[in-house]
DNA sequence: TTAGGGTTAG
Protein backbone atom coordinates (compact mmCIF):
# COMPACT_ATOMS: atom_id res chain seq x y z
CA UNK A 1 0.00 0.00 0.00
CA UNK A 2 2.65 2.46 1.06
CA UNK A 3 4.76 1.59 -1.94
CA UNK A 4 1.94 2.43 -4.25
CA UNK A 5 1.68 5.83 -2.69
CA UNK A 6 5.34 6.51 -3.03
CA UNK A 7 4.98 6.49 -6.78
CA UNK A 8 4.94 9.99 -8.18
CA UNK A 9 1.54 11.24 -9.33
CA UNK A 10 2.58 11.26 -12.97
CA UNK A 11 3.37 7.57 -12.78
CA UNK A 12 0.18 6.65 -11.00
CA UNK A 13 -2.60 4.89 -12.85
CA UNK A 14 -0.58 3.73 -15.72
CA UNK A 15 -3.38 1.56 -16.98
CA UNK A 16 -4.05 4.49 -19.20
CA UNK A 17 -4.34 2.91 -22.57
CA UNK A 18 -7.91 4.19 -22.22
CA UNK A 19 -6.49 7.62 -22.00
CA UNK A 20 -5.27 7.83 -25.51
CA UNK A 21 -8.56 6.75 -26.95
CA UNK A 22 -10.78 9.45 -28.36
CA UNK A 23 -13.67 10.21 -26.04
CA UNK A 24 -16.18 8.74 -28.44
CA UNK A 25 -14.52 5.38 -27.92
CA UNK A 26 -14.34 5.92 -24.20
CA UNK A 27 -18.06 5.89 -23.83
CA UNK A 28 -18.22 2.41 -25.32
CA UNK A 29 -15.95 0.90 -22.68
CA UNK A 30 -18.24 -1.51 -20.85
CA UNK A 31 -17.89 0.03 -17.45
CA UNK A 32 -20.91 1.06 -15.47
CA UNK A 33 -21.83 3.76 -14.92
CA UNK A 34 -19.57 5.81 -17.20
CA UNK A 35 -17.97 8.77 -15.44
CA UNK A 36 -19.28 12.19 -16.43
CA UNK A 37 -17.29 13.79 -19.23
CA UNK A 38 -15.95 16.58 -17.00
CA UNK A 39 -14.52 13.97 -14.62
CA UNK A 40 -12.83 12.19 -17.51
CA UNK A 41 -11.26 15.38 -18.84
CA UNK A 42 -10.23 16.52 -15.35
CA UNK A 43 -8.43 13.21 -14.89
CA UNK A 44 -6.82 13.57 -18.29
CA UNK A 45 -5.53 17.02 -17.38
CA UNK A 46 -4.24 15.79 -14.03
CA UNK A 47 -2.25 12.99 -15.58
CA UNK A 48 -1.05 14.59 -18.77
CA UNK A 49 2.27 16.18 -19.50
CA UNK A 50 1.97 19.98 -19.45
CA UNK A 51 3.99 20.15 -22.66
CA UNK A 52 1.54 18.17 -24.74
CA UNK A 53 -1.62 19.35 -23.02
CA UNK A 54 -2.42 21.99 -25.63
CA UNK A 55 -2.24 19.43 -28.37
CA UNK A 56 -4.44 17.04 -26.45
CA UNK A 57 -7.03 19.71 -25.80
CA UNK A 58 -7.07 20.75 -29.47
CA UNK A 59 -8.40 17.32 -30.37
CA UNK A 60 -11.65 18.02 -32.23
CA UNK A 61 -13.33 15.21 -30.27
CA UNK A 62 -13.80 17.64 -27.43
CA UNK A 63 -16.93 19.73 -27.65
CA UNK A 64 -16.04 22.61 -25.37
CA UNK A 65 -18.87 24.47 -23.71
CA UNK A 66 -18.72 27.03 -20.89
CA UNK A 67 -20.56 24.60 -18.61
CA UNK A 68 -18.10 21.78 -19.32
CA UNK A 69 -15.12 24.08 -18.76
CA UNK A 70 -16.61 25.40 -15.49
CA UNK A 71 -17.22 21.87 -14.23
CA UNK A 72 -13.68 20.83 -15.06
CA UNK A 73 -12.29 23.87 -13.25
CA UNK A 74 -14.41 22.98 -10.21
CA UNK A 75 -13.08 19.43 -10.25
CA UNK A 76 -9.52 20.75 -10.41
CA UNK A 77 -10.22 23.23 -7.60
CA UNK A 78 -7.81 21.54 -5.24
CA UNK A 79 -5.06 21.38 -7.82
CA UNK A 80 -4.78 25.05 -8.64
CA UNK A 81 -1.69 24.85 -10.86
CA UNK A 82 -3.29 22.16 -13.06
CA UNK A 83 -6.55 24.08 -13.20
CA UNK A 84 -4.77 27.20 -14.43
CA UNK A 85 -2.72 25.19 -16.88
CA UNK A 86 -5.92 23.79 -18.32
CA UNK A 87 -7.53 27.22 -18.49
CA UNK A 88 -4.53 28.82 -20.17
CA UNK A 89 -4.10 26.08 -22.75
CA UNK A 90 -7.73 26.29 -23.70
CA UNK A 91 -7.44 30.07 -23.87
CA UNK A 92 -5.14 29.50 -26.85
CA UNK A 93 -7.63 27.25 -28.59
CA UNK A 94 -8.17 28.31 -32.23
CA UNK A 95 -11.94 28.70 -31.95
CA UNK A 96 -13.14 28.33 -28.37
CA UNK A 97 -13.45 31.49 -26.24
CA UNK A 98 -13.78 31.29 -22.46
CA UNK A 99 -16.96 32.51 -20.84
CA UNK A 100 -17.17 35.16 -18.12
CA UNK A 101 -17.80 32.56 -15.45
CA UNK A 102 -14.80 30.46 -16.51
CA UNK A 103 -12.64 33.58 -16.35
CA UNK A 104 -13.99 34.26 -12.88
CA UNK A 105 -13.17 30.72 -11.75
CA UNK A 106 -9.65 31.20 -13.08
CA UNK A 107 -9.27 34.54 -11.30
CA UNK A 108 -10.45 32.89 -8.10
CA UNK A 109 -8.02 30.00 -8.45
CA UNK A 110 -5.07 32.25 -9.28
CA UNK A 111 -5.78 34.58 -6.36
CA UNK A 112 -6.18 31.62 -4.02
CA UNK A 113 -2.70 30.52 -5.05
CA UNK A 114 -1.68 34.08 -4.19
CA UNK A 115 -0.70 34.59 -7.81
CA UNK A 116 -2.23 38.03 -7.80
CA UNK A 117 -0.39 39.13 -10.94
CA UNK A 118 -1.93 36.25 -12.82
CA UNK A 119 -5.34 37.21 -11.49
CA UNK A 120 -4.92 40.80 -12.69
CA UNK A 121 -3.63 39.60 -16.05
CA UNK A 122 -6.72 37.42 -16.44
CA UNK A 123 -8.89 40.42 -15.65
CA UNK A 124 -7.00 42.41 -18.25
CA UNK A 125 -7.73 39.69 -20.76
CA UNK A 126 -11.41 39.75 -19.81
CA UNK A 127 -11.46 43.44 -20.51
CA UNK A 128 -9.71 43.00 -23.85
CA UNK A 129 -12.35 40.46 -24.84
CA UNK A 130 -15.06 42.81 -23.53
CA UNK A 131 -16.23 40.18 -21.08
CA UNK A 132 -15.71 42.17 -17.94
CA UNK A 133 -14.36 42.30 -15.36
CA UNK A 134 -17.75 42.29 -13.64
CA UNK A 135 -18.66 43.32 -10.09
CA UNK A 136 -18.52 39.64 -9.23
CA UNK A 137 -14.94 39.40 -10.51
CA UNK A 138 -13.96 42.21 -8.15
CA UNK A 139 -15.84 40.58 -5.30
CA UNK A 140 -13.92 37.37 -5.87
CA UNK A 141 -10.56 39.13 -5.97
CA UNK A 142 -11.36 41.22 -2.89
CA UNK A 143 -12.38 38.13 -0.96
CA UNK A 144 -9.17 36.34 -1.88
CA UNK A 145 -7.08 39.33 -0.82
CA UNK A 146 -8.98 39.50 2.46
CA UNK A 147 -8.70 35.79 3.25
CA UNK A 148 -5.03 35.98 2.28
CA UNK A 149 -4.47 38.53 5.04
CA UNK A 150 -4.42 41.52 2.70
CA UNK A 151 -7.57 43.36 3.75
CA UNK A 152 -6.19 46.73 2.68
CA UNK A 153 -5.69 45.37 -0.81
CA UNK A 154 -9.28 44.19 -0.79
CA UNK A 155 -10.48 47.71 -0.05
CA UNK A 156 -8.21 49.06 -2.77
CA UNK A 157 -9.71 46.64 -5.25
CA UNK A 158 -13.13 47.99 -4.45
CA UNK A 159 -12.03 51.63 -4.61
CA UNK A 160 -10.33 51.11 -7.97
CA UNK A 161 -13.16 49.26 -9.69
CA UNK A 162 -14.19 52.21 -11.78
CA UNK A 163 -10.66 52.53 -13.15
CA UNK A 164 -11.10 49.08 -14.64
CA UNK A 165 -14.34 49.88 -16.31
CA UNK A 166 -16.67 48.65 -13.61
CA UNK A 167 -19.19 50.87 -11.90
CA UNK A 168 -19.38 50.99 -8.09
CA UNK A 169 -22.84 50.79 -6.65
CA UNK A 170 -24.55 49.93 -3.39
CA UNK A 171 -24.33 46.22 -4.18
CA UNK A 172 -20.60 46.27 -4.65
CA UNK A 173 -20.23 48.44 -1.54
CA UNK A 174 -22.25 45.96 0.50
CA UNK A 175 -20.16 43.16 -0.91
CA UNK A 176 -16.85 44.66 0.19
CA UNK A 177 -18.31 45.35 3.65
CA UNK A 178 -19.38 41.73 3.86
CA UNK A 179 -16.01 40.44 2.68
CA UNK A 180 -14.25 42.46 5.39
CA UNK A 181 -16.73 41.40 8.07
CA UNK A 182 -16.55 37.71 7.18
CA UNK A 183 -12.78 37.83 7.46
CA UNK A 184 -13.17 39.45 10.89
CA UNK A 185 -11.83 42.84 9.77
CA UNK A 186 -14.89 44.47 11.27
CA UNK A 187 -13.19 47.67 12.44
CA UNK A 188 -11.94 48.26 8.92
CA UNK A 189 -15.39 47.56 7.50
CA UNK A 190 -16.89 49.96 10.02
CA UNK A 191 -14.50 52.74 8.99
CA UNK A 192 -15.32 52.23 5.35
CA UNK A 193 -19.02 52.10 6.21
CA UNK A 194 -18.90 55.35 8.18
CA UNK A 195 -16.93 57.08 5.43
CA UNK A 196 -19.02 56.05 2.46
CA UNK A 197 -22.49 55.29 3.76
CA UNK A 198 -23.76 58.68 2.65
CA UNK A 199 -22.44 58.28 -0.86
CA UNK A 200 -24.03 54.87 -1.41
CA UNK A 201 -27.32 55.48 0.40
CA UNK A 202 -26.98 52.46 2.63
CA UNK A 203 -29.94 50.17 3.07
CA UNK A 204 -30.95 47.52 5.58
CA UNK A 205 -28.59 45.06 3.88
CA UNK A 206 -25.59 47.28 4.70
CA UNK A 207 -26.66 47.58 8.34
CA UNK A 208 -27.34 43.86 8.59
CA UNK A 209 -23.88 43.10 7.25
CA UNK A 210 -22.31 45.38 9.89
CA UNK A 211 -24.44 43.95 12.70
CA UNK A 212 -23.43 40.46 11.66
CA UNK A 213 -19.79 41.49 11.56
CA UNK A 214 -19.86 42.63 15.18
CA UNK A 215 -21.64 39.43 16.17
CA UNK A 216 -18.98 37.36 14.43
CA UNK A 217 -16.29 38.85 16.63
CA UNK A 218 -18.57 38.50 19.65
CA UNK A 219 -19.15 42.20 20.16
CA UNK A 220 -22.92 42.02 20.46
CA UNK A 221 -23.22 45.47 22.12
CA UNK A 222 -21.83 47.00 18.93
CA UNK A 223 -24.36 45.03 16.91
CA UNK A 224 -27.11 46.49 19.09
CA UNK A 225 -25.63 49.89 18.41
CA UNK A 226 -25.99 49.24 14.67
CA UNK A 227 -29.63 48.31 15.23
CA UNK A 228 -30.16 51.55 17.13
CA UNK A 229 -28.46 53.60 14.44
CA UNK A 230 -30.43 52.13 11.61
CA UNK A 231 -33.70 52.91 13.38
CA UNK A 232 -32.48 56.47 14.02
CA UNK A 233 -31.68 56.89 10.35
CA UNK A 234 -35.05 55.64 9.25
CA UNK A 235 -33.97 52.25 7.96
CA UNK A 236 -36.34 49.52 9.11
CA UNK A 237 -34.79 46.44 10.73
CA UNK A 238 -35.83 43.21 9.06
CA UNK A 239 -36.11 39.59 10.15
CA UNK A 240 -32.49 39.22 9.03
CA UNK A 241 -31.48 41.90 11.53
CA UNK A 242 -33.26 40.16 14.42
CA UNK A 243 -32.03 36.69 13.51
CA UNK A 244 -28.51 38.04 13.23
CA UNK A 245 -28.64 39.46 16.76
CA UNK A 246 -30.23 36.32 18.14
CA UNK A 247 -27.38 34.27 16.72
CA UNK A 248 -24.97 36.82 18.18
CA UNK A 249 -26.24 36.14 21.71
CA UNK A 250 -25.83 32.39 21.28
CA UNK A 251 -22.36 32.86 19.88
CA UNK A 252 -21.39 34.65 23.09
CA UNK A 253 -23.01 31.98 25.24
CA UNK A 254 -25.65 34.45 26.44
CA UNK A 255 -28.54 31.99 26.48
CA UNK A 256 -30.76 34.04 28.75
CA UNK A 257 -30.32 37.15 26.64
CA UNK A 258 -31.09 35.08 23.55
CA UNK A 259 -34.29 33.80 25.14
CA UNK A 260 -35.31 37.30 26.22
CA UNK A 261 -34.63 38.62 22.73
CA UNK A 262 -36.76 35.84 21.25
CA UNK A 263 -39.65 36.69 23.61
CA UNK A 264 -39.29 40.35 22.67
CA UNK A 265 -39.51 39.41 19.00
CA UNK A 266 -42.71 37.52 19.72
CA UNK A 267 -44.12 40.39 21.78
CA UNK A 268 -43.52 42.77 18.92
CA UNK A 269 -45.46 40.42 16.66
CA UNK A 270 -42.49 39.56 14.45
CA UNK A 271 -43.28 36.79 12.04
CA UNK A 272 -40.84 34.36 13.68
CA UNK A 273 -39.48 32.30 10.82
CA UNK A 274 -37.73 28.99 10.26
CA UNK A 275 -34.33 30.68 10.51
CA UNK A 276 -35.19 32.00 13.98
CA UNK A 277 -36.13 28.51 15.13
CA UNK A 278 -33.10 26.88 13.54
CA UNK A 279 -30.88 29.38 15.34
CA UNK A 280 -32.58 28.51 18.65
CA UNK A 281 -32.44 24.74 18.14
CA UNK A 282 -28.75 24.95 17.31
CA UNK A 283 -27.90 27.57 19.90
CA UNK A 284 -29.46 25.81 22.89
CA UNK A 285 -28.28 22.41 21.72
CA UNK A 286 -24.59 23.13 21.28
CA UNK A 287 -24.66 24.90 24.65
CA UNK A 288 -25.69 21.55 26.12
CA UNK A 289 -29.37 22.36 26.64
CA UNK A 290 -30.63 19.46 24.55
CA UNK A 291 -34.09 19.34 26.14
CA UNK A 292 -34.63 23.02 25.49
CA UNK A 293 -33.41 22.56 21.94
CA UNK A 294 -35.93 19.77 21.34
CA UNK A 295 -38.70 21.77 22.99
CA UNK A 296 -38.06 24.64 20.58
CA UNK A 297 -38.12 22.21 17.67
CA UNK A 298 -41.46 20.80 18.80
CA UNK A 299 -42.89 24.27 19.43
CA UNK A 300 -41.99 25.25 15.92
CA UNK A 301 -43.83 22.28 14.42
CA UNK A 302 -46.78 22.97 16.70
CA UNK A 303 -46.98 26.50 15.36
CA UNK A 304 -47.30 25.11 11.88
CA UNK A 305 -43.82 25.96 10.64
CA UNK A 306 -42.13 23.29 8.55
CA UNK A 307 -38.56 22.51 9.64
CA UNK A 308 -36.07 22.95 6.80
CA UNK A 309 -33.08 20.72 6.05
CA UNK A 310 -31.01 23.20 8.07
CA UNK A 311 -33.32 22.79 11.07
CA UNK A 312 -32.99 19.02 10.92
CA UNK A 313 -29.24 19.33 10.44
CA UNK A 314 -29.03 21.53 13.54
CA UNK A 315 -31.00 19.06 15.64
CA UNK A 316 -29.08 16.06 14.30
CA UNK A 317 -25.78 17.71 15.07
CA UNK A 318 -26.94 18.61 18.56
CA UNK A 319 -28.01 15.04 19.27
CA UNK A 320 -24.74 13.67 17.89
CA UNK A 321 -22.70 15.97 20.07
CA UNK A 322 -24.67 16.16 23.28
CA UNK A 323 -26.97 13.14 23.26
CA UNK A 324 -26.50 9.97 21.22
CA UNK A 325 -25.95 9.08 17.60
CA UNK A 326 -28.81 6.60 17.95
CA UNK A 327 -31.25 9.41 18.65
CA UNK A 328 -29.72 11.49 15.89
CA UNK A 329 -30.32 8.62 13.47
CA UNK A 330 -33.96 8.48 14.59
CA UNK A 331 -34.33 12.13 13.62
CA UNK A 332 -32.57 11.37 10.33
CA UNK A 333 -35.15 8.68 9.59
CA UNK A 334 -37.93 11.00 10.68
CA UNK A 335 -36.86 13.74 8.29
CA UNK A 336 -36.64 11.29 5.39
CA UNK A 337 -40.07 9.94 6.36
CA UNK A 338 -41.49 13.43 6.16
CA UNK A 339 -40.09 13.92 2.70
CA UNK A 340 -37.29 16.27 3.70
CA UNK A 341 -34.28 15.32 1.57
CA UNK A 342 -30.96 15.08 3.47
CA UNK A 343 -28.19 17.13 1.90
CA UNK A 344 -24.40 17.02 2.03
CA UNK A 345 -24.33 18.69 5.44
CA UNK A 346 -26.80 16.18 6.86
CA UNK A 347 -24.63 13.27 5.77
CA UNK A 348 -21.44 14.92 6.95
CA UNK A 349 -22.93 15.55 10.38
CA UNK A 350 -24.20 11.99 10.70
CA UNK A 351 -20.92 10.52 9.47
CA UNK A 352 -18.94 12.61 11.92
CA UNK A 353 -21.29 11.54 14.70
CA UNK A 354 -20.85 7.87 13.86
CA UNK A 355 -17.07 8.14 13.61
CA UNK A 356 -16.91 10.06 16.86
CA UNK A 357 -18.79 7.35 18.69
CA UNK A 358 -16.32 4.80 17.39
CA UNK A 359 -18.47 3.46 14.57
CA UNK A 360 -16.23 4.34 11.65
CA UNK A 361 -17.39 1.45 9.51
CA UNK A 362 -20.99 2.57 9.86
CA UNK A 363 -19.81 6.03 8.83
CA UNK A 364 -18.27 4.50 5.71
CA UNK A 365 -21.55 2.73 5.01
CA UNK A 366 -23.28 6.09 5.19
CA UNK A 367 -20.78 7.39 2.62
CA UNK A 368 -21.96 4.68 0.25
CA UNK A 369 -25.56 5.42 1.08
CA UNK A 370 -25.22 9.12 0.32
CA UNK A 371 -23.63 8.32 -3.03
CA UNK A 372 -26.51 5.98 -3.87
CA UNK A 373 -28.87 8.82 -3.05
CA UNK A 374 -27.13 11.09 -5.50
CA UNK A 375 -25.22 13.11 -2.91
CA UNK A 376 -21.51 12.78 -3.64
CA UNK A 377 -19.16 12.74 -0.62
CA UNK A 378 -17.23 15.99 -0.40
CA UNK A 379 -13.64 16.53 0.60
CA UNK A 380 -14.98 17.26 4.11
CA UNK A 381 -16.66 13.87 4.17
CA UNK A 382 -13.39 12.15 3.30
CA UNK A 383 -11.45 14.26 5.76
CA UNK A 384 -13.70 13.26 8.65
CA UNK A 385 -13.39 9.55 8.00
CA UNK A 386 -9.67 9.72 7.24
CA UNK A 387 -9.10 11.65 10.45
CA UNK A 388 -10.91 9.11 12.60
CA UNK A 389 -9.17 6.18 10.90
CA UNK A 390 -5.84 7.82 11.65
CA UNK A 391 -6.84 8.55 15.25
CA UNK A 392 -7.70 4.89 15.67
CA UNK A 393 -4.30 3.91 14.30
CA UNK A 394 -5.76 2.49 11.10
CA UNK A 395 -3.42 4.40 8.84
CA UNK A 396 -3.77 1.97 5.95
CA UNK A 397 -7.52 2.44 5.81
CA UNK A 398 -7.09 6.20 5.90
CA UNK A 399 -4.57 6.01 3.08
CA UNK A 400 -6.86 3.78 1.09
CA UNK A 401 -9.55 6.48 1.17
CA UNK A 402 -6.93 9.08 0.29
CA UNK A 403 -5.96 7.02 -2.76
CA UNK A 404 -9.58 6.82 -3.78
CA UNK A 405 -9.77 10.60 -3.72
CA UNK A 406 -6.72 10.93 -5.94
CA UNK A 407 -8.07 8.43 -8.45
CA UNK A 408 -11.55 9.75 -8.49
CA UNK A 409 -13.38 12.97 -8.53
CA UNK A 410 -12.74 14.57 -5.17
CA UNK A 411 -9.22 15.93 -4.87
CA UNK A 412 -7.66 16.22 -1.38
CA UNK A 413 -7.34 19.70 0.13
CA UNK A 414 -5.00 21.33 2.62
CA UNK A 415 -6.78 19.70 5.58
CA UNK A 416 -6.46 16.25 4.04
CA UNK A 417 -2.71 16.63 3.71
CA UNK A 418 -2.35 18.02 7.22
CA UNK A 419 -4.36 15.16 8.70
CA UNK A 420 -2.32 12.50 6.91
CA UNK A 421 1.06 14.09 7.49
CA UNK A 422 0.35 14.35 11.23
CA UNK A 423 -0.70 10.71 11.27
CA UNK A 424 2.66 9.71 9.83
CA UNK A 425 4.41 10.56 13.08
CA UNK A 426 2.50 8.14 15.27
CA UNK A 427 4.33 4.87 14.57
CA UNK A 428 7.74 6.50 14.32
CA UNK A 429 8.56 4.30 11.37
CA UNK A 430 11.03 5.39 8.73
CA UNK A 431 8.71 4.50 5.83
CA UNK A 432 5.92 6.58 7.34
CA UNK A 433 8.20 9.60 7.50
CA UNK A 434 9.22 9.09 3.90
CA UNK A 435 5.56 9.07 2.98
CA UNK A 436 5.05 12.27 4.98
CA UNK A 437 7.81 13.79 2.86
CA UNK A 438 6.17 12.63 -0.36
CA UNK A 439 2.85 14.08 0.76
CA UNK A 440 4.55 17.36 1.59
CA UNK A 441 6.06 17.56 -1.89
CA UNK A 442 2.75 16.64 -3.48
CA UNK A 443 0.80 19.27 -1.55
CA UNK A 444 3.25 22.03 -2.47
CA UNK A 445 2.96 20.96 -6.11
CA UNK A 446 -0.79 21.40 -5.84
CA UNK A 447 -0.52 24.92 -4.54
CA UNK A 448 -1.02 24.31 -0.82
CA UNK A 449 1.40 25.97 1.54
CA UNK A 450 2.32 23.85 4.55
CA UNK A 451 2.87 25.68 7.79
CA UNK A 452 6.46 26.17 8.93
CA UNK A 453 5.70 23.76 11.71
CA UNK A 454 4.77 21.02 9.24
CA UNK A 455 7.87 21.58 7.14
CA UNK A 456 10.20 21.44 10.11
CA UNK A 457 8.46 18.49 11.65
CA UNK A 458 8.80 16.44 8.48
CA UNK A 459 12.42 17.47 7.97
CA UNK A 460 13.32 16.61 11.54
CA UNK A 461 11.49 13.33 11.30
CA UNK A 462 13.35 12.36 8.17
CA UNK A 463 16.72 13.24 9.65
CA UNK A 464 16.02 11.31 12.83
CA UNK A 465 15.00 8.22 10.85
CA UNK A 466 18.14 8.39 8.71
CA UNK A 467 16.57 9.80 5.57
CA UNK A 468 18.93 12.73 5.31
CA UNK A 469 19.14 12.61 1.52
CA UNK A 470 15.39 12.90 1.14
CA UNK A 471 15.30 15.71 3.70
CA UNK A 472 17.79 17.57 1.52
CA UNK A 473 15.60 17.03 -1.51
CA UNK A 474 12.71 18.65 0.33
CA UNK A 475 14.91 21.55 1.34
CA UNK A 476 15.83 22.09 -2.30
CA UNK A 477 12.16 22.09 -3.24
CA UNK A 478 11.53 24.59 -0.49
CA UNK A 479 14.16 26.99 -1.71
CA UNK A 480 12.84 26.61 -5.27
CA UNK A 481 9.43 27.67 -4.03
CA UNK A 482 11.10 30.85 -2.85
CA UNK A 483 10.03 30.54 0.75
CA UNK A 484 12.47 30.18 3.55
CA UNK A 485 10.71 28.27 6.23
CA UNK A 486 13.65 26.34 7.53
CA UNK A 487 14.51 26.43 11.18
CA UNK A 488 16.23 23.11 11.29
CA UNK A 489 19.88 22.29 10.88
CA UNK A 490 20.52 19.13 8.94
C1' DT B 1 -21.08 37.07 -4.86
C1' DT B 2 -25.93 42.45 -1.59
C1' DA B 3 -27.76 40.32 4.30
C1' DG B 4 -29.64 35.91 8.70
C1' DG B 5 -30.11 29.36 10.15
C1' DG B 6 -26.65 23.07 9.43
C1' DT B 7 -20.26 20.60 8.47
C1' DT B 8 -14.40 22.83 11.28
C1' DA B 9 -11.55 19.12 17.76
C1' DG B 10 -12.60 18.52 23.61
Amino acid sequence: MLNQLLVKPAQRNLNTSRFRLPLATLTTVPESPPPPIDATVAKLVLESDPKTLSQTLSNPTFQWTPLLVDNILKRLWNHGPKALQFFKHLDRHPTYIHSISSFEHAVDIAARLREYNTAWALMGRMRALRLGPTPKTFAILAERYATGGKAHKAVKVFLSMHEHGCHQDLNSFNTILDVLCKTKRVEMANNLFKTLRGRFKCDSVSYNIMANGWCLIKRTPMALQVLKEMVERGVDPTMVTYNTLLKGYFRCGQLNEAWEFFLEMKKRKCEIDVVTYTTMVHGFGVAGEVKRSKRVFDAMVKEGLVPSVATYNALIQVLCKKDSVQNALLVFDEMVGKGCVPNLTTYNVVIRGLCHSGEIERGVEFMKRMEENGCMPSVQTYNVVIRYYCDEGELEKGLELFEKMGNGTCLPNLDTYNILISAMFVRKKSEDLVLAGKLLIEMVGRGFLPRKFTFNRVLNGLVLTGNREFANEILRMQSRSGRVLRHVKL
Side-chain angles (χ1 to χ4, degrees), chain A residues 283-299:
Chain A
F284 281 127
V286 294
E289 303 242 17
V290 182
K291 277 186 186 155
R292 236 172 148 184
S293 167
K294 283 212 75 175
R295 271 209 301 275
V296 172
F297 185 89
D298 294 337

Side-chain angles (χ1 to χ4, degrees), chain A residues 19-249:
Chain A
F19 251 15
R20 307 218 173 95
L21 296 174
L23 288 174
T25 321
L26 258 180
T27 55
T28 64
V29 172
E31 212 174 68
S32 59
I37 176 99
D38 53 274
T40 313
V41 182
K43 204 171 172 212
L44 176 66
V45 173
L46 279 173
E47 296 175 7
S48 68
D49 182 342
K51 288 182 193 123
T52 56
L53 186 60
S54 256
Q55 208 180 343
T56 315
L57 298 179
S58 302
N59 187 325
T61 326
F62 295 110
Q63 295 290 313
W64 300 110
T65 64
L67 183 67
L68 174 61
V69 175
D70 282 356
N71 286 338
I72 293 165
L73 289 172
K74 281 182 207 158
R75 288 201 184 267
L76 295 173
W77 197 251
N78 284 318
H79 198 324
K82 280 283 185 191
L84 286 182
Q85 233 175 58
F86 164 70
F87 182 89
K88 286 177 184 170
H89 278 294
L90 202 51
D91 198 30
R92 292 197 283 268
H93 190 275
T95 52
Y96 183 74
I97 294 183
H98 280 305
S99 67
I100 295 179
S101 81
S102 300
F103 264 108
E104 286 174 339
H105 278 303
V107 168
D108 201 2
I109 293 166
R112 199 173 63 138
L113 292 172
R114 296 168 197 249
E115 292 183 20
Y116 300 110
N117 289 338
T118 309
W120 281 107
L122 286 164
M123 285 162 71
R125 175 122 177 88
M126 283 178 91
R127 200 170 178 189
L129 291 167
R130 303 194 183 283
L131 292 173
T134 71
K136 185 175 165 183
T137 324
F138 286 99
I140 289 168
L141 186 62
E143 187 180 322
R144 288 301 169 196
Y145 269 126
T147 52
K150 296 175 187 289
H152 286 97
K153 285 273 188 191
V155 176
K156 263 186 140 173
V157 165
F158 166 71
L159 294 174
S160 70
M161 275 172 75
H162 62 282
E163 291 165 24
H164 303 276
C166 193
H167 180 66
Q168 289 152 322
D169 58 6
L170 178 57
N171 290 351
S172 50
F173 181 56
N174 285 341
T175 303
I176 185 69
L177 291 179
D178 197 40
V179 161
L180 292 174
C181 285
K182 297 263 165 70
T183 48
K184 311 272 176 90
R185 304 302 299 261
V186 188
E187 299 277 6
M188 196 184 282
N190 195 38
N191 289 337
L192 194 66
F193 177 64
K194 293 260 157 99
T195 315
L196 297 177
R197 67 173 155 192
R199 195 167 118 195
F200 289 106
K201 306 222 167 19
C202 284
D203 58 358
S204 61
V205 176
S206 327
Y207 284 96
N208 290 343
I209 289 169
M210 288 313 306
N212 189 44
W214 292 118
C215 289
L216 285 175
I217 58 169
K218 301 188 181 184
R219 291 179 61 179
T220 324
M222 286 301 284
L224 277 173
Q225 183 65 29
V226 173
L227 174 62
K228 193 171 152 243
E229 258 179 52
M230 70 193 285
V231 173
E232 280 167 6
R233 289 173 176 254
V235 178
D236 286 336
T238 65
M239 273 313 289
V240 176
T241 322
Y242 296 130
N243 287 336
T244 300
L245 272 149
L246 184 67
K247 176 81 189 171
Y249 284 122

Side-chain angles (χ1 to χ4, degrees), chain A residues 272-325:
Chain A
I272 307 285
D273 64 13
V274 62
V275 177
T276 317
Y277 279 110
T278 304
T279 306
M280 304 268 285
V281 168
H282 189 251
F284 281 127
V286 294
E289 303 242 17
V290 182
K291 277 186 186 155
R292 236 172 148 184
S293 167
K294 283 212 75 175
R295 271 209 301 275
V296 172
F297 185 89
D298 294 337
M300 159 183 196
V301 177
K302 214 172 158 189
E303 285 189 22
L305 274 168
V306 181
S308 67
V309 195
T311 322
Y312 278 110
N313 291 348
L315 184 59
I316 289 171
Q317 192 209 111
V318 160
L319 295 174
C320 282
K321 279 190 168 168
K322 305 286 179 181
D323 196 70
S324 72
V325 195

